[in-house]
Amino acid sequence: MAAFEDLIHARRDVRHFLCDPLDEAEVDRLLALAHSAPSVGLSQPWRFVRIATPALREALAAHVDEQVARAGKIYEGQEDRLYRSLKLHGLREAPALFAVYCDEGTETGHRLGAMTMPEARRYSCVMAIHTLWLAARTRGIGMGWVSILDPATVDAMLEVPPSWRCLGLLCLGYPTSEEATPELERRGWEHRTDWHSTVVTR
Amino acid sequence: MAAFEDLIHARRDVRHFLCDPLDEAEVDRLLALAHSAPSVGLSQPWRFVRIATPALREALAAHVDEQVARAGKIYEGQEDRLYRSLKLHGLREAPALFAVYCDEGTETGHRLGAMTMPEARRYSCVMAIHTLWLAARTRGIGMGWVSILDPATVDAMLEVPPSWRCLGLLCLGYPTSEEATPELERRGWEHRTDWHSTVVTR
């Protein structure tokens, strides 16, 4: 109970990685655990694409850099300066890199729970990602989830089946530092709100 | 590390609840921990609606029963008989009941990461749900996530702001039994696949 609370509070979105490689047996163990995440109708629709080619990694990093610049056009003045100074991904440095997909066409689970809210399958994939994130943290491994990208472009780069939908890129590796506070809060981008503000009663 | 793996393997989607009430301070602690989930741009877009009115609870349960019957029209023969025999929610019995929403219009986080993939905000809410789920399990409390519903109907019942998007209903309470195997697998609806089948390399 207490250890789980500590884990939740210690987890960060990591963008600064050491170049030390990860033990491949440990990576396998993380993926196997992610596979025990909840899934709608027991559909287990998550698909992990391991990026193993240096050229593909660089193409993805260049794409995300371009999308970061494009998304930043909405900011002005001080906010623009702060945005430009943020490091938003570690795609070039992280020793292990994955793209995560949801197979929207899977027949596993016999469509139970996915008729009324088809997005429930993608939500299952998010829980697999979150399981991987927390499991990595229990082993001192950091993870960063990159969502500033154009899914169609990434799909084409990775040549995935048409029924697969992109949820983002995951960078995994040992972090350069362990931080108690989210980087976006330390840098003054946003601060955390009080939990009471998120609950209403009906 | 080992304790977290045990937690992941012990978590179940619970539909059979004891009527024992939950300690409200404990429920608050779970919500506070869920609020430490990762969120895109530190937007913390999750909104929890506590269902406190018996009439509203019954209306939601009746709506879900109707949607379960409607969604089941795709099954035939043996699969139809099995589907009809499944208990898919504990909305009437669970001592605590929540609807979970994503505030798609929040300005918290200054839209960082939500320009290219606006669904990243909903994914953040899924991680808050998953945090709540796991935290509850560390305290022996079971949770069930109900997604067989029509979001527009539920939105109207709960009178939520137009920018809020429904992710489902959560039932919380002490389970009638602790099970090592998912109910859908025990009942023969689906079995779990091997994790290797979900990883490809590029």
Side-chain angles (χ1 to χ4, degrees):
Chain A
M1 196 187 298
F4 181 71
E5 294 195 7
D6 289 346
L7 173 62
I8 292 297
H9 290 133
R11 184 216 49 80
R12 293 276 80 81
D13 192 296
V14 174
R15 302 103 189 255
H16 305 268
F17 295 98
L18 299 174
C19 56
D20 309 37
L22 296 175
D23 179 80
E24 284 301 317
E26 198 153 61
V27 173
D28 283 355
R29 204 171 165 95
L30 297 177
L31 290 169
L33 199 65
H35 194 62
S36 290
S39 65
V40 64
L42 215 54
S43 56
Q44 303 187 291
W46 40 76
R47 304 293 179 260
F48 292 91
V49 181
R50 178 76 179 262
I51 312 300
T53 323
L56 194 48
R57 173 193 287 264
E58 176 50 36
L60 288 165
H63 169 70
V64 171
D65 283 342
E66 181 196 297
Q67 293 290 310
V68 166
R70 181 192 293 249
K73 289 192 204 301
I74 60 168
Y75 305 117
E76 290 179 346
Q78 175 59 25
E79 199 172 42
D80 178 54
R81 281 188 291 278
L82 179 52
Y83 178 81
R84 287 166 186 268
S85 76
L86 296 172
K87 178 170 168 62
L88 294 174
H89 71 83
L91 292 168
R92 289 188 178 83
E93 311 89 75
L97 181 57
F98 291 90
V100 185
Y101 280 85
C102 176
D103 183 356
E104 311 250 30
T106 185
E107 281 298 320
T108 309
H110 307 271
R111 291 183 277 170
L112 181 69
M115 302 288 293
T116 41
M117 289 180 61
E119 61 268 41
R121 285 204 188 108
R122 298 196 286 280
Y123 298 164
S124 303
C125 299
V126 172
M127 291 189 283
I129 293 171
H130 191 225
T131 302
L132 181 59
W133 208 338
L134 294 172
R137 185 63 188 78
T138 67
R139 293 164 179 272
I141 298 170
M143 198 184 97
W145 181 348
V146 181
S147 62
I148 308 183
L149 52 81
D150 173 53
T153 305
V154 172
D155 297 352
M157 283 181 189
L158 301 183
E159 298 176 5
V160 296
S163 69
W164 288 21
R165 177 141 162 180
C166 186
L167 282 95
L169 300 171
L170 305 182
C171 301
L172 282 152
Y174 292 102
T176 57
S177 63
E178 297 203 342
E179 304 286 349
T181 310
E183 185 161 338
L184 291 177
E185 185 162 306
R186 292 201 315 276
R187 298 293 314 280
W189 181 260
E190 188 55 273
H191 61 272
R192 287 168 289 178
T193 58
D194 180 82
W195 71 270
H196 292 96
S197 67
T198 67
V199 184
V200 299
T201 302
R202 288 286 187 275
Chain B
M1 197 187 296
F4 180 72
E5 295 194 7
D6 289 347
L7 173 62
I8 292 296
H9 291 132
R11 184 216 50 79
R12 294 277 78 80
D13 192 296
V14 175
R15 300 104 189 254
H16 305 267
F17 295 97
L18 300 174
C19 56
D20 310 38
L22 297 176
D23 179 81
E24 283 303 317
E26 198 154 62
V27 173
D28 283 356
R29 204 170 165 97
L30 296 178
L31 289 170
L33 199 64
H35 193 62
S36 289
S39 64
V40 64
L42 216 54
S43 55
Q44 303 186 291
W46 39 77
R47 304 291 181 262
F48 292 91
V49 181
R50 178 76 180 261
I51 312 301
T53 322
L56 194 48
R57 174 193 286 262
E58 177 50 36
L60 287 167
H63 169 69
V64 170
D65 283 342
E66 181 196 296
Q67 292 290 310
V68 166
R70 179 191 294 250
K73 290 192 205 297
I74 61 168
Y75 305 118
E76 291 179 344
Q78 173 58 26
E79 200 172 43
D80 178 53
R81 281 189 289 280
L82 178 54
Y83 179 81
R84 287 167 185 269
S85 77
L86 296 172
K87 179 169 167 63
L88 294 174
H89 71 83
L91 292 168
R92 290 188 177 83
E93 311 90 77
L97 181 57
F98 290 91
V100 185
Y101 280 86
C102 175
D103 182 356
E104 310 250 29
T106 184
E107 281 299 320
T108 309
H110 307 271
R111 291 183 277 170
L112 181 67
M115 302 289 293
T116 41
M117 289 180 62
E119 62 267 41
R121 285 203 188 107
R122 299 197 286 280
Y123 297 165
S124 304
C125 299
V126 172
M127 291 189 283
I129 293 171
H130 190 226
T131 302
L132 180 60
W133 209 337
L134 293 172
R137 184 62 189 79
T138 67
R139 293 163 181 273
I141 299 169
M143 196 183 99
W145 181 348
V146 181
S147 62
I148 307 185
L149 52 82
D150 173 53
T153 305
V154 173
D155 298 350
M157 283 181 188
L158 301 183
E159 298 177 4
V160 296
S163 69
W164 289 20
R165 177 144 164 175
C166 185
L167 282 95
L169 300 170
L170 306 183
C171 300
L172 283 152
Y174 292 101
T176 57
S177 62
E178 297 204 340
E179 302 287 348
T181 309
E183 185 161 339
L184 291 178
E185 185 162 305
R186 291 200 316 275
R187 297 293 314 281
W189 181 262
E190 188 55 272
H191 61 273
R192 287 168 288 178
T193 59
D194 180 81
W195 70 270
H196 292 97
S197 68
T198 66
V199 183
V200 298
T201 302
R202 287 288 188 272

